[in-house]
Amino acid sequence: MLKALARPASTRAPGGGLGDLLGPDALLVGGRSIQLPGAVCSSFAITGYPREVGAGWLEPLLTYPGHLDVSLHIEPVPPLVAAQRLRRQLARLESSSRSDARAGRLADFAAEAAADDAVELSAALARGHGRLFKVGLYLTVHAPNPGALEAEVQQVRALAASLLLDSHPTSFRALQGWVTGLPLGIDPIRLRRTFDTSALAAGFPFASPDLNAPAGQQPVLYGVNIASSGVVLWDRFAQDNYNSVTIARSGAGKSYFTKLELLRLLYQQVQVAVVDPEDEYRRLAEAVGGTRLALGAAEVCFNPFDLPTGQGDNALVRRALFCQTLVTTMIGEPLTPEARAILDRAIMAAYASKGITADPDTWDRPAPLLKDLVAQLEAADGSDGHDLAERLTPFTTGSYRNLFAGPTTTRAEGHLVVFSLRDLPEEVKPVGVLLALDAIWRCVANPHDRRKRLVVVDEAWLLMKQFEGARFLYRLAKSARKHWTGLAVVTQDAEDLLSTDLGKAVVSNSATQVLLRQSAQAIKAVAAAFDLSDGEKAFLLAAEKGEGLLCGGRAGDRAAFFAEASSFEHELVTTNPAELAALAHEGDPL
């Protein structure tokens, strides 16, 4: 049976107004389906349910990857009416059970289970622990053509059957079934089932794989939601704090994802600083016009005595204190009080030799170099000064002199600053890391330049092995929010991070937590630290490259996603050697 329904031209809103938005111009109604302009749909009513349902029992239907409308019609039953109906139902079940017993028939276990349920519902209703509701659940499947609709219908019915839900087509009531699925609050089918409060609450509000946290004013696209057809948008600056931690095994795509977020934050005028141990951010920095400081490379100098501008009247004192910390790191052991006093006098004398005093008007003069400090130590009285000068010789005239041989060649300024540490020898790497972190902290703590900032520490496990690097991470994790700054810690060594007090502090102060593919050896520690379910653990163990789990700082803020990049973004952030070789072969200038 087919029936064509068309809206008269006289009733249509001119110019495609509200009337055209409310529905199609014409419908072709069949026995079990409705032909829409450019599509076809079929509706089903759920007539059978499992005896018990768990939390989120509607989730498999709500996250179906095809076009499926799920409508739930709820009508509360007045408590007095519900109590009367339960008494009558219980009386019928008890009478049926006694009749079977007198006749010698076998017990009806379904009736006994229904009687037990009726007793429990009556008791809960009498104590005010719950209410009864009439619930109608309907499904409307959409497809572009009848052939595709048949395949979709079979898949949806199979999914419903796996949930112990009996679905029946709305035969010869296809129009009523379609209307029932529309957001109009109308249920002409009226195939209802009585639910108690707990069973209904398990399905409403609808369980969803999408995030519950606010997206913020400027969210960043993290990727495509694996469990639904939506996208994962996240704004770290709209959370309780702006820090994040990304943990994944080697090759799982953690640096790829981090660079993708970094690039998209640059679109929003966020200033970014990166500590890059492996020089993986060079292509990105060159493409967006960022500043790259390759510490340890030839002809690259970084003068620790440079005085920052706009840092207050005590900038000289703070710089002198930092130089003491730097010298302590260079010699590899703490200074005695006598040596520290001599070093302090020598630092101030080195500044004075260049005409720099406590007067801020003199701070724009060329700063002294490390060799000027060594000269002042050699001229000092006592053996402590000569000993310090001798131990600093490798950094002035020896093998490690390149970094401190002259004035700073590149200022750590700009919308993106990358400190590349790959060219630093292992013996000098603690010193280079300290210089990079000091430059970042000076920028972050500048009270006269407040803006959104992000500090990315890639391969953080390398930084945590050094005392100054670990102390910097701890301080920034605790206080970054006060400076409108987020700390992004990226590491592949999950067990080392989670087994230390510093690592636990970084994780606990990170409202954004991203977990990509994990190894079987580390999954136990990761699951305990992030309270993962068995399903989440299985997902992380079997995740493909680029797939991960975003865990927000609040309960329920979790979503499985796949990091999606455009072709242009992919060329900038990929570290795949084969792809980089192909780009170089094509003459990519980057």
Side-chain angles (χ1 to χ4, degrees), residues 381-400:
D381 297 331
S383 60
D384 288 333
H386 293 278
D387 181 62
L388 283 175
E390 186 67 24
R391 300 180 69 173
L392 291 176
T393 299
F395 297 94
T396 55
T397 59
S399 303
Y400 310 145

Side-chain angles (χ1 to χ4, degrees), residues 100 105-109 112:
D100 290 341
R105 291 189 289 267
L106 294 176
D108 186 348
F109 296 107
E112 291 182 359

Side-chain angles (χ1 to χ4, degrees), residues 233-539:
L233 297 172
W234 188 259
D235 184 359
R236 65 167 63 235
F237 292 99
Q239 311 310 317
D240 297 335
N241 60 69
Y242 319 137
N243 302 337
S244 69
V245 58
T246 303
I247 302 177
R249 62 180 295 181
S250 178
K254 59 184 181 300
S255 295
Y256 185 99
F257 164 76
T258 302
K259 285 184 281 188
L260 201 57
E261 183 192 12
L262 183 157
L263 182 60
R264 290 167 180 173
L265 284 173
L266 289 175
Y267 301 155
Q268 303 175 3
Q269 308 302 318
V270 177
Q271 190 179 56
V272 181
V274 182
V275 179
D276 181 14
E278 301 296 336
D279 199 30
E280 294 182 336
Y281 292 75
R282 178 183 62 85
R283 291 168 46 81
L284 178 60
E286 294 175 354
V288 301
T291 302
R292 174 176 170 268
L293 286 79
L295 303 181
E299 300 180 355
V300 175
C301 298
F302 199 93
N303 186 13
F305 292 87
D306 289 337
L307 286 172
T309 58
Q311 295 286 326
D313 296 337
N314 60 346
L316 179 60
V317 175
R318 290 202 300 268
R319 192 84 319 236
L321 294 174
F322 169 73
C323 290
Q324 295 182 28
T325 303
L326 179 65
V327 171
T328 303
T329 305
M330 286 177 171
I331 66 176
E333 63 181 38
L335 298 176
T336 64
E338 295 79 7
R340 184 173 291 276
I342 293 174
L343 176 61
D344 182 63
R345 290 194 296 269
I347 292 172
M348 300 308 294
Y351 277 109
S353 67
K354 299 297 182 179
I356 299 175
T357 64
D359 184 3
D361 293 336
T362 64
W363 292 355
D364 58 351
R365 297 173 180 174
L369 302 176
L370 185 61
K371 63 181 180 181
D372 298 319
L373 173 61
V374 172
Q376 295 295 330
L377 289 172
E378 290 175 343
D381 297 331
S383 60
D384 288 333
H386 293 278
D387 181 62
L388 283 175
E390 186 67 24
R391 300 180 69 173
L392 291 176
T393 299
F395 297 94
T396 55
T397 59
S399 303
Y400 310 145
R401 67 183 182 277
N402 290 340
L403 188 58
F404 308 98
T408 300
T409 54
T410 304
R411 296 286 179 178
E413 300 172 348
H415 57 282
L416 172 62
V417 181
V418 177
F419 295 88
S420 176
L421 309 180
R422 187 182 62 177
D423 296 327
L424 278 175
E426 289 298 324
E427 296 79 4
V428 191
K429 190 158 288 187
V431 178
V433 168
L434 182 60
L435 291 174
L437 299 182
D438 172 70
I440 292 173
W441 181 255
R442 280 188 288 167
C443 179
V444 167
N446 186 356
H448 303 292
D449 185 16
R450 293 297 189 194
R451 67 176 75 178
K452 285 183 181 180
R453 291 186 172 94
L454 178 67
V455 179
V456 179
V457 181
D458 207 342
E459 302 296 351
W461 62 277
L462 294 173
L463 201 63
M464 292 175 61
K465 292 182 178 179
Q466 304 163 12
F467 172 75
E468 290 299 333
R471 189 173 69 170
F472 170 81
L473 285 181
Y474 184 81
R475 178 174 61 172
L476 194 58
K478 291 284 189 179
S479 60
R481 182 181 179 277
K482 301 176 182 178
H483 302 286
W484 208 6
T485 300
L487 170 66
V489 175
V490 184
T491 184
Q492 61 177 310
D493 203 333
E495 290 183 307
D496 284 355
L497 177 68
L498 300 175
S499 62
T500 63
D501 294 337
L502 168 64
K504 293 177 181 177
V506 170
V507 172
S508 62
N509 286 279
S510 298
T512 304
Q513 302 159 355
V514 180
L515 305 175
L516 286 86
R517 186 171 67 230
Q518 303 292 321
S519 64
Q521 294 78 11
I523 190 63
K524 185 176 181 180
V526 172
F530 296 94
D531 193 23
L532 301 181
S533 65
D534 292 339
E536 291 169 339
K537 289 190 293 184
F539 167 73

Side-chain angles (χ1 to χ4, degrees), residues 25-294:
D25 291 332
L27 299 175
L28 184 61
V29 182
R32 291 190 176 184
S33 65
I34 291 181
Q35 185 77 38
L36 303 169
V40 62
C41 68
S42 182
S43 300
F44 296 85
I46 301 300
T47 58
Y49 297 84
R51 183 170 180 263
E52 295 182 356
V53 293
W57 60 278
L58 277 179
E59 181 177 358
L61 291 174
L62 296 171
T63 58
Y64 181 73
H67 189 172
L68 174 65
D69 295 336
V70 180
S71 60
L72 193 65
H73 293 262
I74 304 169
E75 179 184 345
V77 179
L80 181 60
V81 176
Q84 293 175 349
R85 291 180 179 177
L86 283 174
R87 282 196 296 268
R88 287 198 297 267
Q89 178 70 4
L90 186 57
R92 284 195 294 267
L93 293 172
E94 289 290 346
S95 175
S96 176
S97 177
R98 291 177 182 177
S99 175
D100 290 341
R102 284 195 300 267
R105 291 189 289 267
L106 294 176
D108 186 348
F109 296 107
E112 291 182 359
D116 294 339
D117 292 341
V119 171
E120 293 179 3
L121 289 176
S122 299
L125 195 64
R127 294 182 175 90
H129 293 169
R131 296 186 60 183
L132 295 186
F133 302 86
K134 290 183 178 180
V135 177
L137 179 59
Y138 307 95
L139 310 176
T140 301
V141 185
H142 297 260
N145 53 69
L149 178 65
E150 182 64 25
E152 289 288 334
V153 165
Q154 295 299 327
Q155 293 183 17
V156 171
R157 298 195 69 177
L159 177 60
S162 69
L163 301 175
L164 302 182
L165 300 174
D166 295 334
S167 60
H168 288 272
T170 56
S171 299
F172 303 108
R173 291 188 293 176
L175 180 61
Q176 290 84 346
W178 177 66
V179 171
T180 302
L182 296 177
L184 302 176
I186 301 174
D187 181 11
I189 301 296
R190 299 192 66 81
L191 289 177
R192 306 293 185 86
R193 177 71 176 266
T194 302
F195 276 54
D196 66 342
T197 303
S198 59
L200 180 59
F204 184 89
F206 294 137
S208 172
D210 295 320
L211 294 170
N212 297 324
Q217 296 182 350
Q218 292 183 312
V220 172
L221 174 64
Y222 274 21
V224 179
N225 195 315
I226 295 177
S228 72
S229 57
V231 295
V232 176
L233 297 172
W234 188 259
D235 184 359
R236 65 167 63 235
F237 292 99
Q239 311 310 317
D240 297 335
N241 60 69
Y242 319 137
N243 302 337
S244 69
V245 58
T246 303
I247 302 177
R249 62 180 295 181
S250 178
K254 59 184 181 300
S255 295
Y256 185 99
F257 164 76
T258 302
K259 285 184 281 188
L260 201 57
E261 183 192 12
L262 183 157
L263 182 60
R264 290 167 180 173
L265 284 173
L266 289 175
Y267 301 155
Q268 303 175 3
Q269 308 302 318
V270 177
Q271 190 179 56
V272 181
V274 182
V275 179
D276 181 14
E278 301 296 336
D279 199 30
E280 294 182 336
Y281 292 75
R282 178 183 62 85
R283 291 168 46 81
L284 178 60
E286 294 175 354
V288 301
T291 302
R292 174 176 170 268
L293 286 79

